[in-house]
């Protein structure tokens, strides 16, 4: 069965959210406190959920843009070059002068397959609805899908989603909206700013669902589905269990995970899953097929360091 979210192949998808720098250190096991350790490997990459998802989307062959704030500091050329390398447009993003690029130090343990993230964001301003309205020209009719990473500028995100929904209504367009509820504190924003019924596709992370008392992905997807607008879809990725999703059209569907031979780096698995699932939905795939594709691409990502060699 054909899916309900097909977009014109020429239209662009935008990922709205954070770009930062990640330094990943691969260790045989999780380090002990207060002593020196030798890492097996380390690498530096462009990170941030929206930024990672836009890279994956581009690698899959989609027309994609990142929209966020870029700190004008010594990391800027690295970030700009990397967006270019991946074919991700970012020129509409806001340049924030005299600000510091956020940084994540990630500890990857080969023994336990954990990833421990130490994130610092000193002073990067978050996006506002006005930034969005000024810089993303919906009238240009080049945009097909806008994905929002759920961050602390939640009220502004709600305003941005309302802006897109109003635009659709006034212009009889159908630019799809997706929203990612990943961070635990985003739960209260969804209620506070009445965001449940705004997106067409709501991604809910495993940690988010666990923090709200759900114990499995099927239960989470079907319960959150009661809160979204009519015709909308809920998708819930659940680490090595795979993912579940629910829509009126397909009911509750699931996909297993597709683990690689060796798990090397699960950092960005969720961002990869989101991008690949959106890519498939936008190409008219049914929900079941789309989450299975998301799990396959995310599984491959877990077997490589970073995103560079994922094709
Ligand atoms: P996040 O990176 O946001 O914590 P998850 O851990 O839920 O997201 O992973 C997202 C997707 O990545 C899962 O649905 C699954 O398909 C894949 N994935 C994650 N961890 C593994 C793993 N250990 N083995 C295979 N696939 C995995």
């Amino acid at each position: 069965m054909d899916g309900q979210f097909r977009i014109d192949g020429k239209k662009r998808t935008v990922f709205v959210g954070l770009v930062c720098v990640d330094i990943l250190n691969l260790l045989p096991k999780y380090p002990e406190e207060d002593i020196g350790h030798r890492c097996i490997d380390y690498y530096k990459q462009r990170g941030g959920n929206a930024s990672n998802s836009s890279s994956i989307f581009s690698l899959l062959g989609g027309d994609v843009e990142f929209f966020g704030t870029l700190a004008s500091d010594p990391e800027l050329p690295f970030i700009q070059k990397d967006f270019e390398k991946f074919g991700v447009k970012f020129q509409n993003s806001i340049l924030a002068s005299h600000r510091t690029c956020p940084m994540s130090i990630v500890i990857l343990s080969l023994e336990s397959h954990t990833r421990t993230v130490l994130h610092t964001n000193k002073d990067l301003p978050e996006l506002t609805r006005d930034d969005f309205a000024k810089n993303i020209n919906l009238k240009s009719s080049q945009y097909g899908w806008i994905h929002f990473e759920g961050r602390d500028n939640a009220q502004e995100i709600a305003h941005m989603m309302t802006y897109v929904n109003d635009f659709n209504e006034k212009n009889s367009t159908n630019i799809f909206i997706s929203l990612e509820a990943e961070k635990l504190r985003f739960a209260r924003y969804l209620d506070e700013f009445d965001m449940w019924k705004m997106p067409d596709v709501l991604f809910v992370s495993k940690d988010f669902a666990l923090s709200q008392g759900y114990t499995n992905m099927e239960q989470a997807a079907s319960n959150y589905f009661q809160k979204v607008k009519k015709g909308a879809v809920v998708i819930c990725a659940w680490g090595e269990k795979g993912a579940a999703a629910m829509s009126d059209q397909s009911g509750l569907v699931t996909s297993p995970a597709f683990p690689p031979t060796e798990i090397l780096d699960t950092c960005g698995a969720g961002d990869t899953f989101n991008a690949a699932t959106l890519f498939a939905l936008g190409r008219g795939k049914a929900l079941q097929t789309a989450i299975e594709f998301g799990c396959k691409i995310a599984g491959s990502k877990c077997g490589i360091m970073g995103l560079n060699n994922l094709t």
Side-chain angles (χ1 to χ4, degrees), residues 7 37 49 55 57 77 79 81 86 90 97 107 114 130 137 142 171 192 197-198 212 229 239 252 261 270 306:
I7 58 171
H37 291 274
N49 292 13
S55 298
F57 202 89
I79 285 179
K81 274 202 198 95
F86 277 84
F90 62 96
S97 45
I107 300 166
T114 56
D130 289 351
N137 182 7
Q142 63 183 324
N171 298 280
E192 195 176 334
K197 297 201 187 306
M198 292 181 184
Q212 297 213 307
K229 73 180 169 194
L252 182 67
T261 328

Side-chain angles (χ1 to χ4, degrees), residues 222-241:
S222 49
N223 277 278
Y224 286 123
F225 182 69
Q226 309 306 321
K227 289 175 165 269
V228 296
K229 73 180 169 194
K230 192 158 171 40
V233 168
V234 172
I235 300 175
C236 188
W238 207 272
E240 64 279 1
K241 287 268 189 295

Side-chain angles (χ1 to χ4, degrees), residues 115 182 237-240 242-243 257-259 263 266 269-270 273 295 298-299 302:
R115 52 162 201 252
E182 185 214 33
W238 207 272
E240 64 279 1
F258 295 86
I263 307 263
T266 59
F273 171 82
C295 285
C302 295

